[in-house]
């Protein structure tokens, strides 16, 4: 069975890494979820009933048996599949088990998602890369084991591994295997060029729920944009092998001025590989060294997004479906990074997320629990009310405003990134246009 189970105060969550179905339960009986997930016929522990006041024990017993039936239905596959989405969308929409979990995690500051950069080294040298250097190799395998124990104690469920290029670590499979054995749902982001049949077979045994491969071109040979040789033919073979191995593979295409006029060809080539999950994103993050760099030269203008990208997305049925992200609250957070997710650098530094490079602490200097305990005070100063331009915006409830991007570009989180604004406006307006709304 590929079930990942976690319990928190008065809630329980169960995730099937194979089908990506999830199960959410609330109440005192939720603490029995690990027991029933292991043995659906297990007797109800006396301790569970002993801790309930005598007059409520019949009710508690009924709740426990009801949970047993729900778990049985979930195991039998009676719950509809849902696509796993790491980002926190806590507003209006269908209340799936995963959305309920994220709502709880954001409200109660439970870290359910962690992104781990295992190294900054990369076999490509992209001119638009967000990394300020490629020197850090990362922590030792033992240190990552220690991190895994602390993440498990914090209640983390989903762990995403990335780089640099993760496959430049010769022990990446061993590290991921450690996390698999400790009961995490795993995701891997890679440029895919260093994979081979052996590593793909190893990934298959880890029950990863998503293998995301970034696509930077369709040609073989030296690329001035990547400042390296790009072997698309070899990458294509790796993708086919991964599909044959049954890996849940998705392709991420960074869309900019360099390829906006080639997207139809991209889509034809990539779908012919047998991939159904292809994501085209115009959001290009700034370099972590700060300021405006080369990425600005290839970012699409809002006009290009609407006049070129939008028609393409219409043709392939790839329109996004923006969800209300938050309620407009001047005292509320700009985004939920650090509430339900954290990112860990190769050197052990803890950040709210990969894009928000605000140091919360370092796990090589302090334990994770202490670092997490301090994050509320550190993040409390980053409130939406201080972003006056955002507060006046007509899509403020649908945008996360990304303070990390703003800090890198302007040195002031209260001044939003123009590119972030363009992408957010585009994403929402595609939905409006699809529904026949105002232009």
């Amino acid at each position: 069975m590929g079930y990942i189970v976690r319990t928190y105060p008065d809630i329980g969550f169960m995730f099937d890494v194979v089908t990506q179905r999830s199960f959410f339960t609330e109440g005192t009986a939720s603490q029995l979820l690990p027991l029933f997930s292991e043995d659906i016929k297990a007797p109800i522990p006396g301790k569970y009933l002993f801790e309930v006041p005598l007059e409520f024990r019949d009710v508690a017993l009924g709740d426990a048996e009801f949970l047993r039936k729900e778990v049985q239905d979930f195991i039998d596959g009676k719950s509809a599949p849902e696509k796993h989405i790491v980002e926190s969308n806590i507003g209006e929409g269908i209340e799936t088990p995963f959305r309920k979990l994220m709502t709880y995690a954001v409200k109660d500051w439970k870290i359910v998602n962690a992104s781990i950069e295992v190294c900054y080294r990369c076999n490509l040298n992209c001119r638009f890369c967000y990394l300020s250097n490629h020197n850090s190799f990362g922590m030792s395998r033992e240190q990552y084991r220690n991190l895994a124990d602390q993440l498990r104690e914090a209640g983390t469920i989903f762990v995403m591994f990335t780089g640099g290029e993760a496959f430049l670590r010769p022990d990446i499979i061993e590290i991921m295997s450690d996390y698999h054995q400790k009961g995490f749902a795993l995701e891997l982001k890679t440029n895919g060029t260093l994979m081979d049949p052996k590593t793909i077979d190893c990934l298959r045994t880890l029950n990863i729920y998503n293998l995301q491969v970034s696509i930077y071109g369709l040609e073989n040979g030296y690329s001035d944009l990547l400042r390296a040789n790009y072997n698309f033919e070899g990458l294509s073979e790796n993708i086919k092998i991964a599909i044959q191995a049954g890996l849940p593979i998705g392709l991420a295409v960074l869309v900019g001025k360099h390829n906006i006029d080639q997207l139809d060809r991209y889509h034809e080539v990539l779908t012919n590989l047998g991939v159904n999950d292809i994501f085209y994103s115009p959001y290009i993050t700034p370099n972590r060294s700060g300021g405006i760099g080369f990425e600005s030269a290839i970012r699409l203008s809002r006009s290009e997004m609407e006049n070129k990208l939008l028609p393409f997305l219409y043709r392939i049925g790839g329109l996004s479906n923006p969800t209300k992200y938050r309620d407009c609250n001047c005292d509320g957070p700009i985004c939920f990074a650090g509430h339900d997710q954290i990112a860990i650098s190769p050197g052990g530094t803890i950040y709210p997320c990969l894009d928000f490079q605000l140091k919360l602490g370092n796990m090589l200097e302090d334990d994770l629990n202490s670092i997490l305990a301090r994050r509320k005070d550190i993040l409390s100063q980053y409130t939406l009310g201080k972003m006056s331009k955002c507060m006046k915006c007509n899509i403020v409830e649908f945008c996360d405003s990304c303070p990390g991007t703003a800090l890198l570009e302007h040195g002031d989180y209260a001044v939003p990134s123009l590119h972030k604004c363009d992408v957010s406006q585009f994403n929402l307006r595609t939905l409006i246009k699809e529904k026949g709304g105002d232009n």
Side-chain angles (χ1 to χ4, degrees), residues 235-373:
L235 173 59
S236 299
E237 288 304 311
N238 290 337
I239 291 171
K240 292 176 183 178
I241 294 171
I243 293 173
Q244 292 171 357
L247 288 174
I249 188 168
L251 305 182
V253 179
L254 191 72
V255 181
K257 296 181 187 296
H258 62 293
N259 62 2
I260 183 61
D261 295 318
Q262 305 173 45
L263 293 185
D264 286 304
R265 178 169 173 250
Y266 268 75
H267 199 65
E268 179 182 5
V269 171
L270 298 179
T271 52
N272 283 340
L273 296 178
V275 182
N276 297 318
D277 185 8
I278 308 173
F279 178 62
Y280 297 88
S281 173
Y283 185 46
I284 304 177
T285 54
N287 190 275
R288 289 179 183 172
S289 60
I292 305 295
F294 177 81
E295 71 280 351
S296 64
I298 63 171
R299 286 173 172 172
L300 299 179
S301 66
R302 193 182 304 182
S303 174
E304 288 172 316
M305 291 181 202
E306 295 200 3
N307 295 326
K308 292 186 175 183
L309 180 56
L310 179 57
F312 166 74
L313 294 177
Y314 267 122
R315 289 195 294 274
I316 67 169
L319 289 172
S320 61
N321 186 24
T323 308
K324 186 177 178 181
Y325 180 77
R326 62 187 169 203
D327 292 322
C328 187
N329 183 340
C330 291
D331 296 324
I334 298 172
C335 68
F336 301 117
H339 289 235
D340 62 327
Q341 62 178 302
I342 56 172
I344 301 97
S345 78
T349 301
I350 309 296
Y351 299 109
C353 76
L354 292 173
D355 291 336
F356 192 5
Q357 294 285 291
L358 175 70
K359 184 175 179 179
L360 302 178
N362 189 293
M363 64 156 291
L364 301 182
E365 302 167 357
D366 204 349
D367 65 275
L368 181 62
N369 188 54
S370 298
I371 295 172
L372 296 181

Side-chain angles (χ1 to χ4, degrees), residues 88-352:
S88 307
N89 289 316
I90 67 168
E92 300 170 341
I94 300 174
E95 284 300 302
T96 64
F98 182 75
R99 285 172 60 83
K100 290 179 181 179
L101 170 70
M102 299 313 299
T103 301
Y104 168 81
V106 166
K107 180 181 177 181
D108 282 46
W109 293 74
K110 299 296 183 185
I111 299 299
V112 296
N113 294 301
S115 300
I116 301 178
E117 296 175 305
V118 293
C119 69
Y120 282 158
R121 295 175 60 200
C122 188
N123 59 317
L124 303 178
N125 188 23
C126 304
R127 293 171 63 85
F128 51 81
C129 182
Y130 59 85
L131 295 177
S132 57
N133 70 81
H134 296 107
N135 299 326
S136 181
F137 182 71
M139 298 184 294
S140 69
R141 181 181 176 186
E142 184 57 37
Q143 287 169 325
Y144 281 116
R145 283 200 198 101
N146 180 41
L147 173 62
D149 291 334
Q150 295 184 65
L151 287 172
R152 181 64 191 264
E153 183 179 352
T156 305
I157 303 170
F158 305 99
V159 176
M160 187 268 288
F161 291 93
T162 184
E165 171 49 49
F167 281 112
L168 279 176
R169 286 213 44 144
D171 58 353
I172 182 59
I173 295 296
E174 287 79 7
I175 292 172
M176 292 183 67
S177 179
D178 292 337
Y179 278 70
H180 170 63
Q181 292 172 17
K182 290 179 182 292
F184 294 96
L186 306 181
E187 178 181 12
L188 175 64
K189 289 187 177 182
T190 172
N191 64 40
T193 59
L194 300 181
M195 294 193 302
D196 57 39
K198 182 179 178 180
T199 57
I200 291 172
D201 188 58
C202 290
L203 291 176
R204 181 184 56 80
T205 67
L206 299 179
N207 282 342
I208 64 173
Y209 68 86
N210 184 36
L211 172 61
Q212 185 182 119
V213 178
S214 299
I215 303 296
Y216 295 128
L218 301 178
E219 310 298 336
N220 297 316
Y222 183 81
S223 165
D224 182 63
L225 186 68
L226 309 182
R227 293 184 293 197
N229 287 312
Y230 192 63
N231 183 6
F232 180 72
E233 183 178 349
L235 173 59
S236 299
E237 288 304 311
N238 290 337
I239 291 171
K240 292 176 183 178
I241 294 171
I243 293 173
Q244 292 171 357
L247 288 174
I249 188 168
L251 305 182
V253 179
L254 191 72
V255 181
K257 296 181 187 296
H258 62 293
N259 62 2
I260 183 61
D261 295 318
Q262 305 173 45
L263 293 185
D264 286 304
R265 178 169 173 250
Y266 268 75
H267 199 65
E268 179 182 5
V269 171
L270 298 179
T271 52
N272 283 340
L273 296 178
V275 182
N276 297 318
D277 185 8
I278 308 173
F279 178 62
Y280 297 88
S281 173
Y283 185 46
I284 304 177
T285 54
N287 190 275
R288 289 179 183 172
S289 60
I292 305 295
F294 177 81
E295 71 280 351
S296 64
I298 63 171
R299 286 173 172 172
L300 299 179
S301 66
R302 193 182 304 182
S303 174
E304 288 172 316
M305 291 181 202
E306 295 200 3
N307 295 326
K308 292 186 175 183
L309 180 56
L310 179 57
F312 166 74
L313 294 177
Y314 267 122
R315 289 195 294 274
I316 67 169
L319 289 172
S320 61
N321 186 24
T323 308
K324 186 177 178 181
Y325 180 77
R326 62 187 169 203
D327 292 322
C328 187
N329 183 340
C330 291
D331 296 324
I334 298 172
C335 68
F336 301 117
H339 289 235
D340 62 327
Q341 62 178 302
I342 56 172
I344 301 97
S345 78
T349 301
I350 309 296
Y351 299 109

